[in-house]
Amino acid sequence: MKAIIVDDERLARNELKRLLENFPKINIVGEAANADEAVVMIDELHPDLLFLDIQMPGKTGFDLLSDLEGYVPEVIFTTAYDEYAIKAFEFNALDYLLKPIELHRLSEAIQKVEEEFDRQKQLTETVKDSTVVLTENDQVFVKDGEKCWFVRLGNVRLFESMGNYVRLYFDDQKPLVLKSLNALEDRLDPKTFFRANRKHIINLKYIQKIEPWFSGGLQVTLRESGDKIEISRRQAIRFKELLSL
């Protein structure tokens, strides 16, 4: 598994690398001293795993994750502060290690990583068995608890990532399905469904209004619901190319 260490303290990076020598399955492919360096490195190297400090000069580790578009590696936070633990797990962190990092805690974290990758591998193999692109005219079966729907995809105006789940918005319904947004994006027809940001895929045919937004991004308003979804700066470039003459 390819991993990147993101920490502004060189000694902390070196110590973590020394501890990770005990785990030959982890291949350190890069180090970053701040969030901006890390974003570039993640885009280039597509690591499977981040060992991520929280408090760094400039942007925090949370800011870094918010800046990522599309692909997001698995994350193990490494920090000297325990007060961020709840927020860390809101970002779906696999683990939260307090410095100085102890070998047995690191071992527990690596075990969680391996278990998660085994689960993702099984999901990937399942998806490969059904890689037919789904268009707006396809109907899909959706089950959430005791409720079931057979919904035409063209009627779904928005998909929202909720950790390991995705929430579908259609009519006045908002069911959750056990699937990652990345896996869902691979199956949806890009002519109709667009990845707006890290958390949302929108149905282009539901766009009612487009407005300029912060830092070169866009904000779209969806008809019927009035939902306002931000299109990130990077995705806004793709959006304009996709819909321009």
Side-chain angles (χ1 to χ4, degrees):
M1 288 174 279
K2 296 189 298 182
I4 289 177
I5 298 174
V6 185
D7 197 310
D8 62 301
E9 298 179 357
R10 182 176 57 83
L11 291 178
R13 297 198 303 270
N14 289 341
E15 174 62 14
L16 181 53
K17 283 194 297 182
R18 185 186 67 80
L19 290 172
L20 287 170
E21 290 174 357
N22 294 281
F23 306 93
K25 289 185 179 180
I26 305 297
N27 177 27
I28 305 300
V29 295
E31 300 176 42
N34 57 60
D36 290 333
E37 286 182 10
V39 168
V40 174
M41 200 172 289
I42 292 166
D43 283 344
E44 291 178 351
L45 300 177
H46 264 228
D48 303 301
L49 176 65
L50 289 185
F51 291 95
L52 180 59
D53 192 13
I54 294 177
Q55 286 286 14
M56 296 180 288
K59 295 180 179 179
T60 68
F62 298 130
D63 294 332
L64 185 160
L65 294 178
S66 297
D67 286 345
L68 294 178
E69 306 293 346
Y71 177 74
V72 180
E74 299 293 345
V75 177
I76 294 175
F77 281 106
T78 59
T79 178
Y81 307 95
D82 60 4
E83 62 262 36
Y84 301 111
I86 294 176
K87 186 173 182 179
F89 290 108
E90 290 176 358
F91 279 81
N92 303 313
L94 288 179
D95 212 331
Y96 188 94
L97 302 180
L98 286 175
K99 299 175 182 176
I101 297 171
E102 299 177 350
L103 184 59
H104 79 279
R105 278 293 291 118
L106 181 59
S107 179
E108 291 173 355
I110 298 300
Q111 183 176 351
K112 290 180 183 178
V113 172
E114 292 176 346
E115 290 172 354
E116 177 63 17
F117 271 81
D118 286 343
R119 189 183 72 83
Q120 291 291 346
K121 184 178 179 181
Q122 292 174 355
L123 285 174
T124 300
E125 289 173 351
T126 301
V127 169
K128 283 181 178 178
D129 291 338
S130 55
T131 52
V132 176
V133 172
L134 296 171
T135 72
E136 61 179 309
N137 294 317
D138 286 309
Q139 289 186 301
V140 293
F141 176 75
V142 177
K143 185 176 186 300
D144 184 0
E146 297 300 317
K147 294 185 177 181
C148 300
W149 298 264
F150 197 48
V151 59
R152 179 176 170 271
L153 275 175
N155 293 333
V156 180
R157 61 183 178 271
L158 180 66
F159 301 86
E160 182 178 20
S161 174
M162 311 285 287
N164 293 325
Y165 291 80
V166 172
R167 188 179 296 280
L168 279 62
Y169 292 81
F170 57 92
D171 301 329
D172 60 348
Q173 305 297 320
K174 303 176 183 178
L176 282 171
V177 295
L178 181 57
K179 189 175 287 290
S180 74
L181 199 64
N182 287 345
L184 190 59
E185 182 184 15
D186 289 339
R187 296 208 59 201
L188 293 174
D189 184 355
K191 295 185 184 70
T192 304
F193 301 98
F194 182 78
R195 182 69 174 263
N197 55 53
R198 186 172 61 89
K199 290 195 65 176
H200 298 104
I201 293 174
I202 57 176
N203 186 332
L204 295 172
K205 298 189 177 182
Y206 274 82
I207 294 177
Q208 183 179 53
K209 184 168 63 172
I210 305 171
E211 301 173 281
W213 204 239
F214 299 108
S215 303
L218 298 170
Q219 180 178 264
V220 299
T221 302
L222 302 184
R223 61 179 172 85
E224 296 184 9
S225 66
D227 290 325
K228 296 182 183 297
I229 305 297
E230 180 182 350
I231 298 180
S232 66
R233 178 180 58 83
R234 188 176 308 170
Q235 292 299 90
I237 296 171
R238 289 189 56 230
F239 182 82
K240 292 172 184 176
E241 290 174 350
L242 182 67
L243 298 185
S244 296
L245 289 176

